[in-house]
Amino acid sequence: MQRFFACNARIVWLCLLASTCILLAISHGFFQNYLFMRPCEQCVYIRFAMFCIVFGALLASFLPYSHVVVFLSMLCCFYGVALGIQSAITLQHIHAMVLDGNPFIAASGCKKIPAFPFNLPLHIWFPQWFLPTGECGLDAPMISKETFDSLCAIQQFFIHQYENGWWLIPKYQWISMATFCLLYFILCIMILCYLLICLVRTKVIFAILYIAAILFVVFSLLSFG
């Protein structure tokens, strides 16, 4: 029975891993490099949060039946989700100010040098991924006319679609990038809670202690970081 639940848990962990990797690849490869959208400070924090989820899901995918490994994976993932929700809500607020006609007030709180948890210099180690080059709340493609004219018709089409910023459905300006990320992190919470229930499905006391330990460590890391 334990192996059965471990097998199912591995599938869920792999789905969480794959979906987060796909989002990271799309944000960096398509939106940043192909459509010339520059990441802001909150954007790179969201990326870091997603990498935390990737690391945790990858770890648990190898040993989904080990309580110690899964506990560490849960900590990593819940920590990433907490960071991601913080940054997504902040970016959502900034984006709302931009839409209300206050772009300078919104951008004034956006730093060029990010402060990652535990003072990790990720913007120096991996500048393509973690160095902010854009302004918070201003997520439209940043490209000169000369460069735009030199691009192929397909690339010009997509850039034109996102000229008013990142929207899940650009034509109707439906669901901003900040809102989409927030919804995804909420989905991650639901997935992690399901995995947690599978892990401690028959031991109520152990489940309470398990959840309490995760919450304590996550909030401690958030305060320390």
Side-chain angles (χ1 to χ4, degrees), residues 55-113:
F55 178 78
L58 183 64
L59 188 64
S61 298
F62 286 105
L63 293 170
Y65 48 83
S66 170
H67 282 273
V68 174
V69 171
V70 173
F71 179 76
L72 294 176
S73 299
M74 287 285 184
L75 285 179
C76 193
C77 288
F78 273 112
Y79 178 63
V81 166
L83 285 176
I85 288 177
Q86 282 184 341
S87 299
I89 291 175
T90 300
L91 187 57
Q92 195 176 45
H93 177 67
I94 293 174
H95 192 256
M97 287 194 292
V98 171
L99 293 179
D100 289 339
N102 299 312
F104 298 106
I105 297 177
S108 63
C110 191
K111 297 182 293 186
K112 292 297 183 182
I113 304 299

Side-chain angles (χ1 to χ4, degrees), residues 38-219:
R38 299 178 182 180
C40 67
E41 181 192 11
Q42 301 303 323
C43 295
V44 297
Y45 292 158
I46 290 173
R47 283 186 181 178
F48 174 76
M50 288 190 174
F51 271 107
C52 289
I53 296 174
V54 166
F55 178 78
L58 183 64
L59 188 64
S61 298
F62 286 105
L63 293 170
Y65 48 83
S66 170
H67 282 273
V68 174
V69 171
V70 173
F71 179 76
L72 294 176
S73 299
M74 287 285 184
L75 285 179
C76 193
C77 288
F78 273 112
Y79 178 63
V81 166
L83 285 176
I85 288 177
Q86 282 184 341
S87 299
I89 291 175
T90 300
L91 187 57
Q92 195 176 45
H93 177 67
I94 293 174
H95 192 256
M97 287 194 292
V98 171
L99 293 179
D100 289 339
N102 299 312
F104 298 106
I105 297 177
S108 63
C110 191
K111 297 182 293 186
K112 292 297 183 182
I113 304 299
F116 290 102
F118 315 112
N119 294 320
L120 292 173
L122 298 178
H123 58 290
I124 298 175
W125 295 343
F126 310 102
Q128 279 292 321
W129 285 90
F130 297 110
L131 179 65
T133 54
E135 298 291 342
C136 295
L138 303 175
D139 50 9
M142 303 292 290
I143 182 174
S144 65
K145 186 178 184 305
E146 293 76 13
T147 303
F148 179 82
D149 293 337
S150 66
L151 302 176
C152 67
I154 297 177
Q155 198 169 0
Q156 289 180 352
F157 169 78
F158 280 108
I159 290 175
H160 178 70
Q161 291 294 308
Y162 290 93
E163 63 183 358
N164 293 319
W166 195 107
W167 300 91
L168 186 60
I169 302 181
K171 181 179 179 180
Y172 301 103
Q173 295 189 0
W174 184 67
I175 299 185
S176 66
M177 188 270 284
T179 302
F180 175 82
C181 290
L182 181 60
L183 293 174
Y184 181 73
F185 287 124
I186 292 174
L187 175 63
C188 289
I189 291 178
M190 296 171 63
I191 294 173
L192 292 171
C193 288
Y194 166 78
L195 288 167
L196 193 57
I197 292 171
C198 289
L199 182 66
V200 293
R201 62 195 181 280
T202 59
K203 302 176 182 178
V204 178
I205 299 299
F206 183 69
I208 295 174
L209 294 175
Y210 203 96
I211 295 171
I214 289 177
L215 292 176
F216 174 77
V217 176
V218 167
F219 283 116

